[in-house]
Amino acid sequence: MTASPDLGSGAQPALPPLFPFAAIAGQPLLCQALLLAAIDPQLGGVLIEGPRGTAKSTAARALAELIDAAPFVTLPLGASLEHLAGSLDLGQAMAGHALKFAPGLLARAHGGVLYVDEINLLPDALVDVLLDAAASGVNVVERDGISHRHAARFVLVGTMNPEEGQLRPQLLDRLGLCVRLANVEDAAQRQAIVRARLLFDADPAAFRARHADAQAALAAQLRTARERLQPAGALPWSDAVLQAAGALCIAAQVDGLRADLVLLRAARAWAAWLGDAEVRPDHVQAVAELVLVHRRKPGAPHPQPQPQQQSPQQAPSNPPAQSRPPAESTANGAGDSPPSEADWGAMPPEPVGLLRVAVPSLLAREAAKAGAPATKKA
């Protein structure tokens, strides 16, 4: 019989070891989006959509370890608005002292990662407060006779399973980046992911030691990228960059200009991650799908395909291939290029011969007209 832990001793239980971010495989877009949000928290956070077991929570917890002295705060579904934003310190008030602010989860998450599992199930009021603080970096509380504001700069990571409900479009637009995960279908890659997880569960310390160098390199690269964004006017962009961002947003038929602004900030963060001196159109292309996937209107074209599966250390940065124009039909119905996906199953037009039906009464009438002399019309 094992002895139960002494809950009254005041000792904090040891936290389980974290799966290293450098060892995450099979989800390059997820790793890229998290790194971008960590470089520039004012992007507005990351929404991760996908089925169970696709490394959503594992990646979010691993990201906090890459940021220096970063807390990892989880917002439970049953949290109240006061628990999240903070409120009046009732203990101080009842003791007759001056009104004092009691910090909430937003204050605790400052400088770290705020993780919200099943964000689509949270009340809209809490989501609004979350997104306001994530975008501005400041939490403002005006209630219970107090007026207080404090810094709340954190990386917001929200996960959801689309089968359990959707967020309102107004809230989706305010989330900076979005990743839509899918199950890994490649057999070899599935085996590699499962093998890595089994090795980690068997000996976490040895597994973490094996990836310590790669983990340290990622943390250093992230630290450098964050520092490169600090000076005013760092990593400028040209008119060509603005034109590329605007063209992508117009093609996606997004509402408003928030997508353009987020796309430019994300491209700037990606340029900082790569160590480039300025933002280029290929940076915009590399992050466009993360910004537009949840803002694109139904039926709008998808100009950027999914990048190839790569490791987090080499997240995709190549510009996507240009989308293929729709097939144009020739006179005989054959196109020079294959039909688009929207025309799947369409058949080219074919000439059809006309069959003249012989009706005796009509034939006799036509023959009589043909043999009669023409009459002058009045």
Side-chain angles (χ1 to χ4, degrees):
M1 182 176 180
T2 58
S4 59
D6 185 9
L7 299 179
S9 61
Q12 294 292 335
L15 295 177
L18 295 176
F19 193 90
F21 192 93
I24 298 175
Q27 300 293 0
L29 279 180
L30 173 60
C31 295
Q32 183 188 19
L34 291 175
L35 289 173
L36 290 174
I39 295 170
D40 187 0
Q42 287 188 317
L43 282 173
V46 181
L47 174 65
I48 308 174
E49 300 183 13
R52 297 175 294 274
T54 48
K56 297 190 296 292
S57 60
T58 298
R61 288 177 170 83
L63 176 68
E65 193 177 19
L66 293 179
I67 306 174
D68 296 333
F72 184 85
V73 179
T74 301
L75 175 62
L77 285 178
S80 64
L81 185 58
E82 291 75 14
H83 188 197
L84 174 64
S87 63
L88 177 66
D89 190 336
L90 295 179
Q92 293 287 337
M94 295 181 65
H97 303 293
L99 297 180
K100 185 179 179 181
F101 176 75
L105 294 179
L106 293 178
R108 290 174 52 190
H110 178 61
V113 176
L114 180 59
Y115 176 70
V116 187
D117 194 14
E118 306 295 347
I119 190 173
N120 53 321
L121 302 182
L122 277 179
D124 289 346
L126 268 67
V127 179
D128 283 333
V129 173
L130 272 176
L131 297 178
D132 285 342
S136 65
V138 178
N139 178 38
V140 180
V141 180
E142 299 281 353
R143 70 172 65 88
D144 299 331
I146 59 173
S147 178
H148 184 80
R149 57 190 298 135
H150 63 81
R153 192 172 300 280
F154 53 86
V155 181
L156 173 62
V157 180
T159 64
M160 60 175 284
N161 188 343
E163 297 177 356
E164 299 174 353
Q166 295 286 345
L167 279 169
R168 290 191 292 113
Q170 295 85 347
L171 298 178
L172 275 176
D173 183 55
R174 296 178 61 189
L175 285 160
L177 309 176
C178 179
V179 185
R180 289 179 176 171
L181 303 179
N183 292 314
V184 179
E185 302 293 343
D186 183 73
Q189 194 170 56
R190 288 178 72 96
Q191 294 173 15
I193 295 173
V194 171
R195 187 179 297 111
R197 185 68 205 193
L198 292 176
L199 290 174
F200 173 77
D201 293 339
D203 193 345
F207 186 86
R208 288 175 56 83
R210 192 178 304 119
H211 293 85
D213 292 341
Q215 189 82 350
L218 277 178
Q221 188 174 359
L222 177 59
R223 188 184 312 111
T224 301
R226 289 162 67 99
E227 292 173 354
R228 297 189 69 232
L229 291 184
Q230 297 304 319
L235 278 76
W237 47 60
S238 62
D239 291 341
V241 173
L242 294 175
Q243 182 179 1
L248 288 170
C249 292
I250 292 174
Q253 302 176 14
V254 300
D255 291 328
L257 297 175
R258 181 178 283 118
D260 301 65
L261 298 174
V262 175
L263 183 53
L264 290 172
R265 294 190 72 103
R268 184 169 176 259
W270 188 240
W273 172 259
L274 297 179
D276 295 330
E278 62 180 5
V279 184
R280 302 189 304 268
D282 59 286
H283 298 136
V284 176
Q285 293 281 353
V287 301
E289 190 64 13
L290 298 173
V291 177
L292 300 176
V293 65
H294 58 306
R295 296 182 171 94
R296 183 180 287 113
K297 288 292 182 64
H302 292 247
Q304 181 175 4
Q306 295 292 336
Q308 297 179 356
Q309 302 291 330
Q310 299 181 13
S311 62
Q313 295 89 333
Q314 299 176 347
S317 60
N318 296 328
Q322 295 295 327
S323 59
R324 181 178 297 172
E328 296 180 359
S329 300
T330 59
N332 59 1
D336 296 333
S337 59
S340 64
E341 187 174 316
D343 296 331
W344 186 90
M347 298 294 291
E350 296 182 359
V352 179
L354 297 178
L355 177 62
R356 185 166 184 173
V357 180
V359 180
S361 60
L362 293 179
L363 290 177
R365 188 181 306 168
E366 292 293 332
K369 290 182 178 180
T375 58
K376 185 178 179 179
K377 293 184 179 180

